[in-house]
Amino acid sequence: TIYQVQNRPEDAVRHFRKALESDPDHEFACRDLCYVLFEQGKIEEAKEIIARGIAHNPGIAAYHYYLGNLYSHTKEFDKAAACYRAALSIQPAYVEACFNLGIVLQEQGHPDEAIASYRKALALKPDYSEALNNLGVTLMGLGRHDEAEASYRRALQFRPDYAEAYSNLGAALMELGRLSEAEAGYRQAIHIRPEFAKAYLNLGYALMEMSRQDEAEACYRRALEIKPDYADAHNNLGSALIQLGRENEAEASYRRAFQIKPDYADAHSNLIFAMDLMFDKDTAALQEERKRWDAAHAAHLRQRQTHANIPDPSRRLRVGYVSADFREHSAVKVFGGMLTNYDRAQFDVFAYANSRRRDDRFTDLFKRSVTAWRNISRMTDDAVEKMIIEDRIDILVDLSGHSEGNRLLVFARKPAPIQITAWGYATSTGLRAMDVFFADPVVVPPEDRQYFTEEVRYLPCVVGAFFNEPFPDVNELPALADGVITFGSFNRLVKVSDMSFRAWAEVLLAVPRSRLLLKTAELDDASNRERVIGHFTKAGVAAERVILQGKTSWHQHMQAYNQIDFALDPFPHGGGVTALEGLMMGVPAIVLRWPTVTGSTSAAIM
């Protein structure tokens, strides 16, 4: 033991072994030898020592507990759980075994059993703050955010300096939509532990949700100072840089993320989204990156699937739609009709929802409209594949493409005989397992079909139009009253490139007394307003000629179109749904047919 304290592990091991040769039942020698071997990274030797101790004296609960810890370390969770249960059968009030069993059950995907184990630990030790924290994490995974918040707050009552609990409390408050409180939780975690990289990551995400991208970037960079190979921080930094209009830097961040973590499919999808915003990428390059995504993350998952669908022309076809956006989202304005206005005599429609956000009026509408509603947000890809096969889906439709929340790795497994990508982020997936891409001759001219993995099938227009609530009244163009032309763009800033800003500045300079109205939620943030105005003042346009408006309700957002005469569409990524809404409000649109799918969507609408 003295050698152990003096950090002389080899000497400690030699003497512990001698002690056990003299007395195989020496509990402390067995336990401490196991610990020193573990510290040396000799895990299998440590397991052997404890197993020998159990053989000599199976009634010592601690032996089973230590062996469980070793198995847990090597991620042999079934064996670890068995060891913890053996320890508890000998010593039912073994609180640490209850706690560690909860961790293992969580890892095994048994959240209800994990909760029971944590609660048993807390019954034995009510002030066990680590158990309260882990209980909160498990409740969060089940979407029980209010209970998780309460659990984290109890942990902090017993341990006010618990940085991880503050960070987790911030995550619960984020899910509950209380962004300012979430920010405070993350900042408190950082105050307690200044080198807490994950808290910086989470704070950055909260700031992004509040459209404070400059501050978010600083948080991600601080996380990377602490932990340079933090793949999630590189990914999130890419997302902040995209919002700030720095696409080339974003591309580098995303590539670094999946260089560190080669199976990081989400970061690779984010790169694809970033490339769609870049001037120097043509259709061939964009589709080639999608094919690389398939090769890296999806192709190996495809199996020769035998589908049991009965080819009976008299029965109803079963169509499944997969999306993270069955809620108030711009994508709904495109695909909503497919879930609500179908012929129920010919089709059964299944909705596979991959969102953990709270239901809203659109979610409720879709739930009422479809034949079957499935929430897959907490399910593994394998489990979702099994569900789709059991639902006997004939045609499975991807509504997300490479946007956030996609389940393309489910499609990679080919759970349905026919698979289509359309509408939500309709740019093609690059998956060999995807059969068809719905497009139109404007976004995919016939000569460009060669670049796409899927078979390109033409619709009259790549987008639909689903507006289930009345628009405000449309007025006369305001220029007819005051003689001043007002241009406008209501697109998210991520779509408005530097070149768009320069072109719009030229328009204002060329049209005397004209104005430009920009409206989007990001303009509620002062740094974003300053950045946008800077584009125009540098080009010689007076700041007062640029009107900035922030977030409002959808109805008020549509009413704002009555203030403009012409809508200007951004490029190289077009406006899409924003262009559609402007046309519905009677506003003429000036669009550029950029030679990519996302760059010509507005032109397709026109």
Side-chain angles (χ1 to χ4, degrees):
T1 303
I2 290 168
Y3 284 139
Q4 188 180 355
V5 172
Q6 291 178 332
N7 196 26
R8 294 167 60 182
E10 298 298 338
D11 292 327
V13 166
R14 187 171 70 255
H15 283 276
F16 284 139
R17 288 192 188 279
K18 284 184 179 179
L20 286 170
E21 287 170 12
S22 302
D23 180 6
D25 292 332
H26 197 307
E27 179 182 344
F28 296 108
C30 181
R31 180 197 66 189
D32 289 355
L33 174 57
C34 173
Y35 181 80
V36 175
L37 290 168
F38 173 80
E39 288 287 294
Q40 290 182 298
K42 298 175 179 177
I43 308 301
E44 295 307 316
E45 285 185 59
K47 287 179 185 175
E48 184 184 331
I49 291 297
I50 284 291
R52 201 181 305 157
I54 291 171
H56 278 279
N57 197 339
I60 297 178
Y63 283 174
H64 297 279
Y65 172 73
Y66 296 142
L67 184 57
N69 290 348
L70 292 168
Y71 280 129
S72 185
H73 181 79
T74 54
K75 300 190 183 303
E76 297 172 86
F77 296 123
D78 289 340
K79 292 180 180 178
C83 289
Y84 294 136
R85 288 194 169 101
L88 289 164
S89 69
I90 298 163
Q91 187 179 323
Y94 201 153
V95 65
E96 292 84 1
C98 285
F99 175 71
N100 284 11
L101 177 59
I103 294 173
V104 167
L105 290 166
Q106 214 171 329
E107 290 285 350
Q108 289 179 307
H110 304 308
D112 292 324
E113 293 178 61
I115 288 170
S117 200
Y118 290 136
R119 292 201 191 281
K120 183 178 178 184
L122 288 164
L124 296 166
K125 186 181 176 183
D127 63 348
Y128 198 167
S129 53
E130 289 81 3
L132 285 163
N133 179 68
N134 282 26
L135 174 61
V137 171
T138 311
L139 291 165
M140 280 281 287
L142 293 172
R144 293 157 63 178
H145 305 126
D146 292 309
E147 294 174 73
E149 178 193 356
S151 196
Y152 296 137
R153 291 196 186 279
R154 278 188 63 206
L156 290 165
Q157 284 176 357
F158 295 119
R159 187 176 155 191
D161 64 345
Y162 197 173
E164 190 171 345
Y166 268 114
S167 182
N168 289 339
L169 174 61
L173 293 166
M174 278 284 291
E175 292 290 346
L176 292 166
R178 291 150 60 187
L179 300 183
S180 297
E181 292 177 70
E183 178 187 355
Y186 294 137
R187 291 196 185 280
Q188 185 62 24
I190 291 165
H191 175 73
I192 295 166
R193 195 197 305 172
E195 301 298 299
F196 195 172
K198 186 175 181 180
Y200 277 106
L201 180 84
N202 290 342
L203 175 58
Y205 183 70
L207 293 166
M208 287 282 286
E209 287 289 297
M210 292 186 277
S211 298
R212 291 157 60 185
Q213 286 87 356
D214 288 319
E215 295 173 74
E217 178 191 357
C219 285
Y220 297 139
R221 294 199 183 280
R222 178 68 184 115
L224 289 166
E225 286 174 9
I226 299 165
K227 189 177 175 182
D229 284 348
Y230 198 173
D232 287 341
H234 283 289
N235 174 63
N236 287 17
L237 175 60
S239 298
L241 292 167
I242 276 289
Q243 297 287 339
L244 291 166
R246 289 148 61 188
E247 294 88 1
N248 291 321
E249 292 177 68
E251 178 181 1
S253 287
Y254 290 135
R255 290 197 185 279
R256 181 65 183 133
F258 59 82
Q259 179 187 28
I260 295 166
K261 188 178 172 184
D263 63 347
Y264 202 164
D266 287 344
H268 203 164
S269 286
N270 288 341
L271 169 65
I272 286 168
F273 181 83
M275 290 175 66
D276 282 341
L277 296 163
M278 299 171 75
F279 287 99
D280 58 349
K281 311 296 183 188
D282 60 13
T283 296
L286 296 174
Q287 295 312 312
E288 197 57 40
E289 192 64 49
R290 285 160 168 79
K291 291 172 188 175
R292 281 195 283 270
W293 189 98
D294 179 57
H297 311 292
H300 69 282
L301 297 169
R302 188 173 180 186
Q303 307 161 19
R304 286 195 175 277
Q305 193 71 260
T306 302
H307 299 100
N309 306 61
I310 300 167
D312 178 2
S314 63
R315 70 172 176 83
R316 290 193 300 274
L317 276 176
R318 298 164 82 87
V319 182
Y321 294 97
V322 185
S323 177
D325 302 322
F326 295 134
R327 55 187 172 85
E328 191 155 1
H329 189 279
S330 59
V332 164
K333 309 295 174 62
V334 175
F335 67 66
M338 303 306 296
L339 280 82
T340 55
N341 298 331
Y342 60 94
D343 183 346
R344 284 155 178 78
Q346 296 193 60
F347 301 99
D348 287 325
V349 168
F350 290 66
Y352 298 93
N354 191 46
S355 174
R356 299 185 184 185
R357 295 176 184 254
R358 292 190 167 188
D359 291 356
D360 60 24
R361 58 204 173 95
F362 284 98
T363 315
D364 293 338
L365 170 64
F366 295 141
K367 281 184 176 180
R368 292 193 307 268
S369 301
V370 298
T371 310
W373 179 269
R374 310 277 193 247
N375 190 322
I376 61 170
S377 62
R378 301 177 197 282
M379 294 173 62
T380 65
D381 292 333
D382 287 336
V384 177
E385 175 197 19
K386 184 171 182 285
M387 174 185 281
I388 291 167
I389 291 169
E390 290 175 353
D391 285 340
R392 292 176 288 112
I393 298 300
D394 299 304
I395 303 173
L396 190 66
V397 185
D398 159 54
L399 297 173
S400 295
H402 284 280
S403 64
E404 184 180 5
N406 74 72
R407 296 303 294 264
L408 290 179
L409 294 179
V410 171
F411 283 83
R413 292 161 162 80
K414 202 69 162 71
I418 298 173
Q419 301 192 151
I420 297 172
T421 183
W423 300 306
Y425 184 50
T427 59
S428 160
T429 63
L431 265 70
R432 279 165 279 184
M434 197 72 74
D435 300 298
V436 172
F437 167 39
F438 281 168
D440 65 39
V442 177
V443 296
V444 181
E447 63 271 19
D448 283 356
R449 283 177 156 183
Q450 60 181 310
Y451 302 121
F452 293 83
T453 308
E454 306 95 341
E455 180 184 340
V456 179
R457 293 287 187 91
Y458 286 153
L459 301 177
C461 182
V462 71
V463 302
F466 176 71
F467 297 108
N468 67 329
E469 55 189 318
F471 280 82
D473 291 337
V474 176
N475 64 346
E476 295 288 343
L477 294 180
L480 298 177
D482 58 19
V484 175
I485 297 288
T486 304
F487 299 99
S489 172
F490 291 6
N491 289 279
R492 289 180 298 135
L493 293 182
V494 70
K495 291 186 178 182
V496 186
S497 62
D498 288 357
M499 193 176 289
S500 296
F501 281 125
R502 285 198 295 273
W504 296 352
E506 288 182 34
V507 168
L508 292 178
L509 292 171
V511 181
R513 298 173 58 220
S514 60
R515 299 172 296 209
L516 176 66
L517 169 60
L518 300 176
K519 186 177 188 305
T520 181
E522 298 106 304
L523 292 174
D524 284 327
D525 178 64
S527 62
N528 287 330
R529 292 196 298 272
E530 183 179 345
R531 180 165 57 89
V532 168
I533 290 293
H535 283 287
F536 293 96
T537 54
K538 284 175 192 171
V541 176
E544 57 267 21
R545 294 179 67 185
V546 182
I547 305 159
L548 305 180
Q549 295 181 8
K551 185 177 182 179
T552 59
S553 68
W554 180 82
H555 195 268
Q556 291 170 318
H557 194 71
M558 294 303 103
Q559 274 185 320
Y561 277 107
N562 284 332
Q563 301 174 49
I564 66 177
D565 299 289
F566 295 96
L568 300 178
D569 205 59
F571 57 93
H573 196 304
V577 171
T578 305
L580 193 62
E581 289 176 333
L583 292 167
M584 293 293 288
M585 284 301 298
V587 177
I590 302 171
V591 309
L592 178 64
R593 183 178 175 181
W594 194 265
T596 62
V597 173
T598 56
S600 52
T601 303
S602 295
I605 292 167
M606 296 295 283

